[in-house]
Amino acid sequence: MSGVRRLGRRWRRQRPLRTRLAVAASAAVALVAVGVCTAAFFVIRYEMFHQLDLNLTQSATRVIQENRDGGPQVVAGECRYLSAPACAQIVPALVAEDPAQPYLLPVSAPVREVATGERAPYFSNITLSGKPIRMLTTPLGHDKALQVALRSDSVEKGVRQAAGLLAVIGAAGVLLAAGLGYWVSRTGLAPVARLTATAERIASTRDPRHRIELPPGPPGREDEVTRLAASFNTMLGELEQSVTAQRRLVADASHELRTPLTALRTNAELLARADRLTDAQRDRAAGALARQLREVTGLVNDLIELARDEEPAPLLEEVRIAALADHAVTAARTHWPATPFTLDIAPDAAQAVRPGVPARLTRLLTNLLDNAAKFSPEGLPVEVELTTSRHAGSGERLELTVRDHGPGITAQDLPYVFDRFYRAETARALPGSGLGLAMARQIARAHGAELTAEQAQGGGAVFRLTFE
């Protein structure tokens, strides 16, 4: 048995899913068809012989009513005919009481037992003159038995004809099952075949723009395979966006690095001929080289930070956001001495904590403060506020806002302020790489927070960081 199982498993492994599904469906339908035909055969056979037995019982009842007081004898001898009247004979319990006229039907020991009451009435099949006979043996009065017989060849012929017809129907059902199984496998696995072809095409072309064609139909009523294909299309869409974003990041990074690297090369070549420069020229070139190295280093570090999508779990700890904001504002005042920074912390937010990586959250706040200070006119404050609020179903929220009084964000720039390397028209002349806000949003999302930007009433921009 284990060898058969191994052979079956080997066969399943070597056959494609479509073949296995077709065989399984065909076998299921064929089994049902054969089962139905077999059951129909036994029902027909039972009913035909049951009808014959009813005829024998009716004939026996009539003979008993007509010969209740009769002695052993042959009552009717029409056994050679196909239908009633049946041939019948009365048999005594004792052999000595048998009539002189020979019996037409065979008399055996069970017949004598029925006559004595030792055995219940019974049906039997015999052969007489080469013809099949169905015989009923039943008691008749005291110490007598009645044998009634009818030819059963017509019934047996009908049973054989029914068996042949049902066999043809069963064979046709098996063939139909094979065809239906093949059709079911092709139809049911068509989306899977398309999915496989699409996956293979993407693997060979490395182009995630391909999609699987979905069958038309009302939404919400798709089958499992269609939902699988739709999910695969969704995954392809996400993959396409990811690949597009990756290519755009590489292109933007190449573009942003080209200018400082060119300047670095120029200043390095200039310093290589330092003997031809004056001291003032050499100092300016060295200063420019050092500044450009810092810019390139900062840009590369920002790109490395953006490449991380989530925070390492071992570094997470409970962070008090108010203390973090106070530290970031203090550092910003040192870095931007011409810009006043104000910090307003609500009493119920002073002790609020959230899980996070302190260094990364500090980088988030520093980027927001640097961005606000960069756009704020000299002397106008950057306002930082930390508050809490309650919302039904979401519990307490912690909200930190950073507002500047600069030119604000135009409606056309607002959807793109968090994109990598995006710089508005008003910001292209200012220092920076366009990665600070993109990094701030990525850090916020890695900590389960949401960072949004909007126009402030009265001018300027508001960046809102919300912790759930």
Side-chain angles (χ1 to χ4, degrees):
M1 183 61 70
S2 60
V4 174
R5 290 198 188 99
R6 285 197 299 270
L7 184 62
R9 286 196 296 268
R10 189 180 305 114
W11 184 88
R12 288 193 296 270
R13 286 195 300 267
Q14 294 174 352
R15 295 297 182 274
L17 178 60
R18 177 178 296 177
T19 301
R20 284 181 283 164
L21 181 60
V23 171
S26 302
V29 178
L31 184 63
V32 172
V34 171
V36 169
C37 290
T38 303
F41 167 75
F42 283 106
V43 169
I44 292 173
R45 182 177 180 276
Y46 170 80
E47 289 296 332
M48 293 183 73
F49 275 100
H50 181 64
Q51 185 63 42
L52 181 61
D53 292 343
L54 287 178
N55 290 338
L56 286 173
T57 302
Q58 291 173 355
S59 297
T61 302
R62 185 177 65 253
V63 172
I64 290 174
Q65 291 174 351
E66 295 174 353
N67 300 273
R68 186 175 300 276
D69 299 324
Q73 59 178 312
V74 175
V75 179
E78 294 87 358
C79 295
R80 65 183 181 277
Y81 298 110
L82 283 175
S83 59
C87 60
Q89 63 188 22
I90 299 173
V91 180
L94 300 176
V95 177
E97 298 178 1
D98 286 343
Q101 182 183 1
Y103 292 121
L104 296 178
L105 301 174
V107 178
S108 59
V111 178
R112 306 288 183 179
E113 293 174 359
V114 171
T116 59
E118 298 176 1
R119 185 184 179 99
Y122 67 93
F123 292 93
S124 58
N125 295 313
I126 62 174
T127 301
L128 189 65
S129 301
K131 304 295 183 182
I133 301 292
R134 181 74 167 170
M135 184 173 65
L136 168 64
T137 303
T138 185
L140 175 62
H142 180 67
D143 292 336
K144 289 182 291 184
L146 174 65
Q147 291 180 287
V148 183
L150 281 173
R151 282 181 57 178
S152 61
D153 47 350
S154 60
V155 175
E156 292 185 357
K157 180 179 179 182
V159 171
R160 288 194 299 270
Q161 290 176 344
L165 182 60
L166 289 174
V168 172
I169 294 175
V174 171
L175 294 177
L176 180 62
L180 289 175
Y182 178 74
W183 177 80
V184 167
S185 66
R186 285 187 59 86
T187 304
L189 294 179
V192 177
R194 291 195 296 268
L195 188 150
T196 303
T198 302
E200 292 174 348
R201 188 160 56 249
I202 293 173
S204 61
T205 63
R206 298 182 179 273
D207 185 0
R209 292 177 296 177
H210 300 287
R211 294 293 184 273
I212 301 173
E213 182 181 355
L214 300 178
R221 297 185 180 179
E222 302 88 354
D223 56 22
E224 290 78 1
V225 177
T226 303
R227 289 202 300 271
L228 174 62
S231 300
F232 192 77
N233 282 344
T234 303
M235 183 188 69
L236 289 177
E238 296 292 336
L239 178 62
E240 183 181 3
Q241 292 181 5
S242 176
V243 171
T244 302
Q246 182 184 30
R247 290 173 179 170
R248 186 170 63 246
L249 174 62
V250 172
D252 292 341
S254 302
H255 176 75
E256 292 292 332
L257 286 170
R258 186 178 295 115
T259 299
L261 288 176
T262 301
L264 276 174
R265 185 177 62 185
T266 301
N267 286 316
E269 292 174 352
L270 186 62
L271 288 174
R273 298 191 296 269
D275 55 334
R276 304 179 186 179
L277 302 176
T278 63
D279 292 341
Q281 290 174 333
R282 189 165 48 251
D283 291 341
R284 284 197 303 272
L289 184 62
R291 185 174 63 254
Q292 290 153 3
L293 279 173
R294 286 194 299 271
E295 291 179 0
V296 172
T297 301
L299 179 58
V300 172
N301 288 336
D302 289 344
L303 288 172
I304 293 173
E305 293 289 341
L306 283 171
R308 297 196 321 187
D309 288 336
E310 57 185 19
E311 306 304 328
L315 300 181
L316 292 177
E317 58 182 84
E318 293 296 322
V319 181
R320 192 157 65 92
I321 304 301
L324 206 67
D326 181 69
H327 173 74
V329 169
T330 301
R333 287 171 180 155
T334 303
H335 191 257
W336 301 89
T339 302
F341 289 84
T342 64
L343 176 61
D344 183 14
I345 299 177
D348 54 351
Q351 301 300 322
V353 295
R354 292 293 186 273
V357 181
R360 299 285 287 157
L361 290 174
T362 300
R363 182 64 180 274
L364 186 158
L365 298 179
T366 299
N367 286 0
L368 294 180
L369 295 174
D370 288 346
N371 182 77
K374 184 167 61 175
F375 288 97
S376 289
E378 188 174 348
L380 293 181
V382 172
E383 302 167 2
V384 182
E385 184 178 6
L386 182 64
T387 60
T388 60
S389 60
R390 290 191 176 276
H391 292 263
S394 60
E396 185 179 75
R397 287 183 177 180
L398 189 63
E399 187 174 271
L400 184 141
T401 58
V402 178
R403 179 191 174 171
D404 62 62
H405 292 270
I409 308 172
T410 63
Q412 57 267 29
D413 291 330
L414 193 57
Y416 309 105
V417 293
F418 295 107
D419 288 356
R420 297 166 180 173
F421 297 107
Y422 182 79
R423 305 181 74 183
E425 292 288 342
T426 57
R428 294 182 180 176
L430 298 175
S433 61
L435 293 176
L437 292 180
M439 186 184 306
R441 171 170 275 190
Q442 179 172 297
I443 296 172
R445 289 182 172 174
H447 285 79
E450 186 61 32
L451 179 61
T452 58
E454 59 191 65
Q455 279 280 19
Q457 293 183 358
V462 175
F463 287 86
R464 197 179 308 277
L465 178 65
T466 305
F467 293 91
E468 295 292 341

